[in-house]
Amino acid sequence: MADDLFKALADATRRTILDELAEKSGQTLFEICARLTMKHRLGISRQGVSQHLAVLEAAGLVVTRREGRYKFHDLDTAPLRQIAERWPVPDTSAPEESTP
């Protein structure tokens, strides 16, 4: 699971797609492509965006749902929480006890 997640996050375009889904969840492929082109000036084909979405979906960061002819993409941050829980940060607010 972690390998797919890190691979998905390693690409700047995929991170931009996640940013867009965080801003507005439930977008179709057409909407995502339009936002990437207009807002980020990315010249990427629909097929390219679709392939990026497949990687994100395989990593569990994007979930899809169908309504009629349309396929909607939603962000799922659960895998990111699993990373944070894997390497917890120690609480540094309490004074350390010294051992003799």
Side-chain angles (χ1 to χ4, degrees), residues 3-44:
D3 289 342
D4 288 342
L5 183 58
F6 288 118
K7 176 186 172 186
L9 293 172
D11 185 86
T13 301
R14 288 193 283 270
R15 290 192 305 271
T16 302
I17 291 170
L18 292 175
D19 290 341
E20 287 303 319
L21 290 175
E23 188 175 310
K24 182 180 181 272
S25 200
Q27 294 185 61
T28 64
L29 176 61
F30 177 80
E31 291 173 302
I32 294 168
C33 289
R35 289 173 72 104
L36 292 176
T37 301
M38 301 292 279
K39 188 174 174 183
H40 301 280
R41 305 279 190 240
L42 292 177
I44 186 170

Side-chain angles (χ1 to χ4, degrees), residues 13-96:
T13 301
R14 288 193 283 270
R15 290 192 305 271
T16 302
I17 291 170
L18 292 175
D19 290 341
E20 287 303 319
L21 290 175
E23 188 175 310
K24 182 180 181 272
S25 200
Q27 294 185 61
T28 64
L29 176 61
F30 177 80
E31 291 173 302
I32 294 168
C33 289
R35 289 173 72 104
L36 292 176
T37 301
M38 301 292 279
K39 188 174 174 183
H40 301 280
R41 305 279 190 240
L42 292 177
I44 186 170
S45 68
R46 285 174 53 101
Q47 182 180 3
V49 174
S50 182
Q51 290 172 347
H52 282 301
L53 285 167
V55 172
L56 292 168
E57 190 172 3
L61 292 166
V62 170
V63 293
T64 59
R65 58 189 160 80
R66 286 206 173 268
E67 291 180 21
R69 295 179 14 191
Y70 299 99
K71 183 177 181 181
F72 296 92
H73 301 83
D74 297 290
L75 175 64
D76 184 357
T77 59
L80 299 174
R81 286 192 296 276
Q82 291 173 359
I83 290 175
E85 291 168 0
R86 182 174 178 174
W87 295 291
V89 177
D91 183 12
T92 58
S93 62
E96 290 186 33

